[in-house]
Amino acid sequence: MTTTRAALTEDDIRTLVKGATPDERALVAHKLCRRIDTLPLTPEEQVLAQDILRVMAADAAELVRRALAVTLKSSPLIPHDVALTLARDVESVCQPILSFSPVFTDEELAEIVRLGGPVRQVAIAKRPRLSRRVTDVLVETGAERAVEVACANDNADFADATLMNVLARFERSERVLAAVAYRQTLPLSVTEKLIDMVSDQVRDHLLTHHPVSPELALQIATGAKERATLDLVDQAGRSADLKAFVAHLHRNERLTASLLLRGLAHGHMAFFEWGLAELAGVPHHRTWLMIHDAGPLGLKAIYERAGLPARLLPAFRAGVDTFHAMEFEGGARDRDRFQKKMLERFLTQPHVGARDDADYLLDRMDRLAERAAPAMQTA
């Protein structure tokens, strides 16, 4: 092997085969692998290099086999049979090869996922590219940690149905659900199912980074979700010191877009004002002016300064406009009336265009009207 022998001595080759200690053989194995991977080889030299790699893969010392696996983990030059041998080796040897080697087929990776156990599954889940063939099998048979790692891998390709299977199989795993929620892109169906399943912080990330339907945005605004957050809204309405209350929520990462929208939908305008002031770092009196007296651009400016998601701005504007209209009309701002008026405003928003969404909103208004009717009769 002319090229390789020019860079390596006869003593190097001899040490690889008959080295006195595993450390000596591992050092030479690393050196040989580097030369094989970087030097141009003739076809004859490639054959000889592959034979040398097979000698390394059969070495009794784990250090030697690991030197081979780590040094050539991303190389296309490693023989296919050597890669399969290393994939069946101990954990320290199999992990780098399974995580990076391009010589495996999708069918081989899927078979290793089915039969290889959690360590190998996690290694495969970290690969720089995962096809739907492999992610399907990972979700179907993989351990929880492996599925979490795959879902956190934005280079893993998931079919929509496969992500839905993740939610069904791991509905009680906060780590897996969070990994799905923090993917760069999500289908709408997965986003909306996740809303019901995750913590406040993850839910706010979903609302900020992924689109949701007008129906779901409205459900969140009117309190159909998240009982604990509703309790916070009620506390906000009763709080004697809103400034301290919102500062406490902010410190504990509870002052979210969904909480503010829910508070506004329930008529707690002062809570919304103080919350926006806290997030934007602007005094309350200036925030009040921007929300109420600064024209159509005031709310947008303070909203953007607060770092709230742009896609929810129309919903907040509808709430503010509704609040103003009800004040102008002089009506009592009870919760049901406010929600009913807000729903009416939502029907006129540009982002509520689909017939299904309008039907949902109308149905919600009808139910609110039914709830309000007995109260009006007894008044």
Side-chain angles (χ1 to χ4, degrees):
M1 185 169 149
T2 306
T3 306
T4 302
R5 287 178 183 272
L8 298 167
T9 67
E10 292 288 344
D11 287 340
D12 289 324
I13 305 297
R14 192 176 302 109
T15 302
L16 174 64
V17 179
K18 299 181 179 179
T21 68
D23 286 345
E24 290 176 350
R25 299 200 304 279
L27 183 62
V28 173
H30 172 72
K31 188 177 179 182
L32 272 168
C33 288
R34 291 287 296 167
R35 297 299 181 270
I36 290 170
D37 194 34
T38 57
L39 294 177
L41 304 177
T42 66
E44 294 78 10
E45 291 168 339
Q46 289 180 14
V47 171
L48 185 53
Q50 290 179 351
D51 288 340
I52 292 173
L53 295 179
R54 291 186 179 96
V55 171
M56 296 181 195
D59 196 292
E62 180 181 333
L63 275 176
V64 175
R65 305 195 306 277
R66 176 167 171 76
L68 165 59
V70 170
T71 309
L72 294 184
K73 63 183 181 182
S74 301
S75 174
L77 299 179
I78 191 167
H80 185 252
D81 61 298
V82 171
L84 289 175
T85 297
L86 296 176
R88 295 188 292 267
D89 211 319
V90 296
E91 294 179 6
S92 68
V93 176
C94 74
Q95 287 175 308
I97 284 291
L98 288 174
S99 292
F100 294 99
S101 179
V103 305
F104 295 109
T105 65
D106 286 343
E107 288 69 24
E108 289 167 343
L109 292 172
E111 187 68 11
I112 295 169
V113 167
R114 275 193 291 266
L115 304 176
V119 171
R120 287 168 174 76
Q121 291 170 353
V122 170
I124 290 172
K126 296 177 180 178
R127 289 175 66 83
R129 188 194 71 83
L130 279 180
S131 70
R132 291 189 176 188
R133 173 81 177 91
V134 180
T135 56
D136 284 349
V137 178
L138 266 169
V139 171
E140 180 183 349
T141 64
E144 178 179 346
R145 174 60 180 161
V147 176
E148 176 194 347
V149 171
C151 290
N153 182 354
D154 277 308
N155 293 316
D157 188 10
F158 286 86
D160 292 3
T162 304
L163 286 174
M164 293 297 281
N165 289 339
V166 172
L167 305 190
R169 186 179 170 208
F170 296 98
E171 61 181 346
R172 298 185 181 278
S173 172
E174 293 183 6
R175 297 175 65 93
V176 172
L177 297 179
V180 176
Y182 281 88
R183 288 183 64 79
Q184 289 182 358
T185 59
L186 282 177
L188 180 63
S189 58
V190 173
T191 301
E192 299 207 338
K193 188 172 181 62
L194 267 174
I195 291 287
D196 276 335
M197 306 173 73
V198 295
S199 66
D200 297 353
Q201 182 178 354
V202 177
R203 180 181 294 110
D204 199 55
H205 174 86
L206 286 169
L207 291 172
T208 304
H209 293 84
H210 298 287
V212 296
S213 70
E215 172 182 344
L216 182 59
L218 186 52
Q219 285 180 320
I220 293 170
T222 55
K225 309 286 185 188
E226 197 180 22
R227 182 68 243 175
T229 304
L230 271 176
D231 292 340
L232 280 180
V233 171
D234 291 336
Q235 291 175 39
R238 299 190 303 267
S239 176
D241 188 353
L242 275 174
K243 181 178 180 179
F245 183 76
V246 298
H248 171 76
L249 292 178
H250 194 197
R251 284 194 301 271
N252 289 276
E253 299 183 346
R254 298 294 304 276
L255 193 61
T256 62
S258 59
L259 180 61
L260 287 175
L261 183 56
R262 196 189 304 273
L264 183 58
H266 284 76
H268 301 312
M269 176 58 76
F271 171 62
F272 174 60
E273 294 165 358
W274 280 101
L276 219 55
E278 174 72 18
L279 291 174
V282 173
H284 176 262
H285 69 277
R286 289 184 56 195
T287 301
W288 189 97
L289 288 173
M290 296 181 78
I291 293 173
H292 298 289
D293 285 347
L297 298 181
L299 175 62
K300 183 174 186 291
I302 190 67
Y303 184 91
E304 290 176 350
R305 185 182 177 97
L308 295 172
R311 66 172 55 90
L312 293 181
L313 177 59
F316 280 97
R317 186 175 297 281
V320 172
D321 291 346
T322 302
F323 187 89
H324 289 161
M326 294 180 71
E327 279 197 323
F328 178 78
E329 294 166 3
R333 294 194 301 273
D334 61 275
R335 181 176 299 179
D336 285 344
R337 281 196 60 190
F338 187 87
Q339 288 184 359
K340 182 175 183 296
K341 291 293 292 184
M342 185 168 183
L343 287 163
E344 291 171 349
R345 298 280 177 169
F346 261 79
L347 284 173
T348 66
Q349 291 298 313
H351 69 287
V352 183
R355 178 55 188 266
D356 289 345
D357 297 327
D359 288 345
Y360 170 81
L361 297 175
L362 288 167
D363 175 68
R364 178 72 176 163
M365 284 188 358
D366 289 342
R367 283 186 278 124
L368 284 172
E370 290 171 2
R371 271 170 46 190
M376 294 180 64
Q377 292 172 1
T378 59

